[in-house]
Amino acid sequence: MRLTTDLKDLAGVPAFRTLLGIRLISQTGDGMVQAGLATVFFFAPQNMTTAPGVASALVVMLLPFSVVGPFTGPFIDRWRRRQTLLAGNLLRAGLIVATALVMQTAGVGIGVYALVLVALGVNRFLLSVLSAGLPRIIDRERLLVANSIVPTLGGAATALGMVIGILLRLLLPDGAARNTASLLVAAGLYALAAGVVTRLGRDQLGPERPGGAGLGAALGRTAADLADAVRYLVRRGTPGLALSAMALHRFVYGMELITIILASRNLLADPAQADQGLALFGTLMGAMMAGHGIAVVLTPLAHERVSPSTWVVTCLVGGTTGQLVLVATYAQGAMTAGLVVFGIGVQGAKIAVDTIVQSDTADAYRGRAFSLYDVLFNTAECVAAGVAVLVLPDVGWSRGAQAALVVFVWCVALTYGRAVHRLGGRPREVTGPAGLGAAAPLDPHAA
């Protein structure tokens, strides 16, 4: 089976193993940090009991990344990505240690939230660096398999970190140790990830033309660089269309996430029992993560038969079968099953979009493409938060809202499929400003 061969090939690439190790270690630390945020923002008995409350908390967590994100792409395309990973992980370790110190001296307040959000923002930047560097060490025919493995294992590492963080809070006595143990362990993991980075060669992750512009010059060119990247992606066709479809589907994901949070604490559990609501939330999110895991297996197998763009449409439409269950009922068992199917669609489409953007975008634009990717992700969820305030009840579930989301996904899939068909399923030839030719398209049936 080609999947087995691809997995063996990937495991035989030392740089891929190193890059995967960096991601798993650092995202485990992210999960430990996020466990505390989820508890404070969503499941403390006195906090976030309404749709506007949950929506505002999501905006607070995501909007800073959307604001900072556009400024990261030009640096990813200019700075040595290996050095960026090294410095970024050390910076995160310092930020989290500072967070623990502030908690000890001033308690949990705005300062703690600000430091944690900055640390998570640095993480989003580093994930874009990892995505931009992956095609430098993996051949084009193995990219889809790599994209199946890396993000899903990263998500599993984040989930593991959250479990460890929650267990530490439950097992340690009340006081300073409980409040800071997870943070200090996370800081240690970030420092360890920085150490693993040193196993990579200085220029191994690119970019092709490092250096040239310092911080001030790069900031001065940010707007022009991003505008150039947007024009390139639109002219290229396939990556621009894939990013658009992803962003629209991420809006749907954001709506479902808010539904899960509110239903967990206000509909399926006693609103006064925060621990019960948190457990239900973990169950429902675990079901979606299980769907992500299934997509890891299905997507490479589908890649042997269909193109990534066809798989995007298949996943979008297929995922709505799970959403139709949520239209019919809010019973916990049915919701759990429906979210598994929806999770398959979400992750399967994302893997294919990652592959399209990586394979159809020239290296000179790839960093900016993934910074825009990240911005679209977070902005779409912020928009979902705003819409949720208008259409979702405080119990989270609404048959009308769920039905509208299904129809919306169908429209996205139809529009995207027709647009790709008009291109003949292949990107347009585009020449960059410096005479750079665009990346060759990925042949889904390559040997």
Side-chain angles (χ1 to χ4, degrees), residues 262-284:
L262 288 170
S264 296
R265 68 167 301 160
N266 294 336
L267 181 63
L268 302 177
D270 182 351
Q273 299 295 319
D275 290 343
Q276 183 185 18
L278 186 59
L280 284 168
F281 173 73
T283 299
L284 295 177

Side-chain angles (χ1 to χ4, degrees), residues 72 75-76 79 84 121-130 374:
T72 64
F75 301 116
I76 298 173
W79 293 351
T84 301
V122 173
N123 171 62
R124 299 306 307 173
F125 171 56
L126 296 183
L127 290 179
S128 294
V129 175
L130 288 167
D374 201 41

Side-chain angles (χ1 to χ4, degrees), residues 40-93:
V40 172
F41 277 1
F42 302 124
F43 292 97
Q46 73 276 14
N47 288 341
M48 311 308 172
T49 60
T50 65
V54 170
S56 62
L58 278 178
V59 170
V60 168
M61 294 176 66
L62 295 171
L63 191 58
F65 308 155
S66 301
V67 173
V68 173
F71 296 93
T72 64
F75 301 116
I76 298 173
D77 291 334
R78 285 191 172 92
W79 293 351
R80 285 183 173 87
R81 293 165 188 157
R82 182 262 200 188
Q83 298 303 101
T84 301
L85 289 174
L86 176 61
N89 278 293
L90 291 176
L91 174 61
R92 283 196 297 172

Side-chain angles (χ1 to χ4, degrees), residues 81 158 169 228 245 248 256 281 359 364:
R81 293 165 188 157
T158 300
R169 290 186 65 84
D228 181 43
L248 293 171
E256 299 295 13
F281 173 73
S359 61

Side-chain angles (χ1 to χ4, degrees), residues 118-169:
V118 171
L120 292 177
V122 173
N123 171 62
R124 299 306 307 173
F125 171 56
L126 296 183
L127 290 179
S128 294
V129 175
L130 288 167
S131 295
L134 186 61
R136 301 280 299 184
I137 59 173
I138 296 295
D139 61 83
R140 306 177 70 79
E141 289 75 16
R142 303 296 183 262
L143 266 179
L144 189 138
V145 176
N147 284 326
S148 300
I149 296 171
V150 173
T152 302
L153 289 181
T158 300
L160 175 63
M162 293 184 72
V163 170
I164 295 173
I166 292 172
L167 287 176
L168 285 175
R169 290 186 65 84

